[in-house]
Amino acid sequence: MPALSSVPEHSFLASCQTSGAFTDCYTITVSGNLGLAEFIEAFYTTRLFKTERWLLAKILACPSSDSQVRDLAYSAANRFSAWRVEQRSDREILLAFGHTRSWLYIEPLAERLKNGEAPATRLYFGSAVFPARAGGKFGFLFHALGGFHHIYSRCLLAAAAKRLTVTGSHSC
């Protein structure tokens, strides 16, 4: 199961944190050399996330497809469902929707190769929520959904890691 982690210091999510947003960050390690595109595609096409995509289509009229996820993953699109790409590099992506951000990041574990071990990649998933109220305060709904959010975030990352392991998607 993914573990709660500190936000990497020079990441896009860290800039949200220094701007006053609530942030959280979870990690899990998978075998193989994975690219960001593979992680994005695996994350947003899991059965669990497809449920969220369905809800967004019904509630916010923001439908999405696996093909649109693939376009996002391989930089052919800057929008996906309700989100738009705020920042992107070869190792991370930050998606924005209103006061929230969704962040994916990969970290190749090169030290494993030096030790003669199989290659591995640490996957990160995090969120940022900027306060909508004056004075940086969060409302009732933010606090009420906090426990659910933490469980859901871990489940999303675990599902993506499982999907990457099952499909055997490992490239450089």
Side-chain angles (χ1 to χ4, degrees):
M1 191 62 136
L4 186 62
S5 175
S6 58
V7 175
E9 190 176 320
H10 299 290
S11 67
F12 298 152
L13 192 60
S15 66
C16 294
Q17 196 172 43
T18 58
S19 295
F22 161 84
T23 59
D24 60 9
C25 177
Y26 299 92
T27 64
I28 193 167
T29 301
V30 296
S31 61
N33 290 323
L34 297 172
L36 180 63
E38 293 167 298
F39 182 28
I40 292 168
E41 190 168 4
F43 188 90
Y44 290 114
T45 60
T46 61
R47 200 177 301 181
L48 182 58
F49 200 87
K50 283 184 179 187
T51 303
E52 182 173 335
R53 286 171 41 192
W54 180 84
L55 287 170
L56 289 169
K58 297 297 179 197
I59 297 169
L60 299 178
C62 294
S64 62
S65 67
D66 288 356
S67 176
Q68 290 170 323
V69 171
R70 204 168 299 109
D71 287 346
L72 174 72
Y74 292 94
S75 300
N78 286 321
R79 295 193 76 78
F80 162 67
S81 184
W83 295 278
R84 67 172 172 73
V85 175
E86 186 169 290
Q87 290 182 280
R88 184 184 193 126
S89 72
D90 60 333
R91 291 180 51 186
E92 64 184 312
I93 189 168
L94 183 68
L95 301 170
F97 172 63
H99 294 283
T100 66
R101 304 294 181 271
S102 182
W103 170 77
L104 298 176
Y105 177 78
I106 59 164
E107 178 184 19
L109 300 177
E111 72 274 1
R112 292 180 69 126
L113 294 174
K114 293 176 190 171
N115 296 331
E117 298 176 64
T121 304
R122 183 167 295 127
L123 307 175
Y124 290 77
F125 168 58
S127 302
V129 180
F130 289 90
R133 297 173 140 190
K137 299 204 185 284
F138 291 97
F140 171 78
L141 192 58
F142 173 84
H143 294 290
L145 294 175
F148 169 78
H149 170 77
H150 292 295
I151 293 167
Y152 182 58
S153 294
R154 287 180 182 191
C155 290
L156 284 172
L157 186 54
K162 181 178 179 183
R163 185 173 182 87
L164 288 165
T165 303
V166 170
T167 60
S169 299
H170 304 297
S171 70
C172 295

